[in-house]
Amino acid sequence: MAGRTVNQREISVASVHSAAEARNCQLLFVNSDDKANWPQLRQALAGKSVLTVSDFPGFAEAGGMIEFGHRDDHISATLNLKAVQAAGLRVQDRLLRLVTILHAEGE
């Protein structure tokens, strides 16, 4: 992916080793090996327009935006719409049709 462009922006891929470095990202993939660091990253990114994505179970419920998983031998995605909106990001209708939307209790 590195070097390709999307909407006339070049994609760069980098390993992030601190919450300060994460603030400079537009999209942050949190590897399941970094699950223990997610609470600190989430706090550091509060209010920042950084799309957060992971594959560890419970990521969306823990405040992440997009959680990838497996369901019925297919790749699935769960979207935490409140987390996306809190970051000032928008989701296109096309994506909403492809994901399961996480709802808070009582909704």
Side-chain angles (χ1 to χ4, degrees), residues 13-68:
V13 179
S15 293
V16 173
H17 302 286
S18 70
E21 290 177 330
R23 290 186 199 118
N24 296 322
C25 297
Q26 293 178 339
L27 184 149
L28 178 67
F29 183 85
V30 181
N31 190 298
S32 58
D33 293 341
D34 292 323
K35 181 179 179 178
N37 296 327
W38 171 238
Q40 293 84 10
L41 285 169
R42 183 177 140 213
Q43 184 177 6
L45 296 173
K48 306 282 188 235
S49 296
V50 178
L51 180 66
T52 57
V53 181
S54 187
D55 60 352
F56 72 77
F59 179 71
E61 290 177 350
M65 296 178 196
I66 300 175
E67 175 186 327
F68 287 106

Side-chain angles (χ1 to χ4, degrees), residues 54-102:
S54 187
D55 60 352
F56 72 77
F59 179 71
E61 290 177 350
M65 296 178 196
I66 300 175
E67 175 186 327
F68 287 106
H70 296 278
R71 186 179 315 135
D72 301 325
D73 294 326
H74 291 89
I75 294 175
S76 65
T78 301
L79 178 79
N80 182 331
L81 192 55
K82 284 189 176 192
V84 171
Q85 292 170 338
L89 301 173
R90 295 180 313 208
V91 179
Q92 292 185 352
D93 290 338
R94 292 184 296 179
L95 178 61
L96 291 174
R97 290 190 293 261
L98 298 174
V99 300
T100 300
I101 299 174
L102 178 69

